[in-house]
Amino acid sequence: MNETFDWPAYIRLMEQLLAVPLDDARRAELETQLSRIASMAAPLLAFPLDLRQEVAGVYRL
């Protein structure tokens, strides 16, 4: 699964939604960091889970 994501568009949208203006240098660094995080998370997200397996623990009092 080799999917690309439009990080610059995402960053600009988040700038607008969160009202946090960024300069070009910060946008570029943020894109680099988000790309790294996505590449680190890819193997974990690709790990197959059984349909009946809980993805997170359920705690009840």
Side-chain angles (χ1 to χ4, degrees), residues 2 4 10 13 17-21 29 32 34-36 39 41 43 46 49-51 56 58-60:
N2 190 4
T4 59
Y10 175 80
L13 180 61
L17 289 174
L18 299 173
V20 179
E29 184 59 31
T32 300
L34 289 172
S35 296
R36 287 179 182 159
S39 66
L49 293 176
D50 183 34
L51 291 176
V58 177
Y59 300 97
R60 295 191 178 113

Side-chain angles (χ1 to χ4, degrees), residues 25-55:
R26 288 185 186 253
R27 272 188 218 101
E29 184 59 31
L30 187 55
E31 180 180 351
T32 300
Q33 295 299 326
L34 289 172
S35 296
R36 287 179 182 159
I37 292 167
S39 66
M40 287 188 286
L44 180 61
L45 292 171
F47 188 79
L49 293 176
D50 183 34
L51 291 176
R52 304 194 97 208
Q53 185 173 354
E54 292 289 333
V55 294

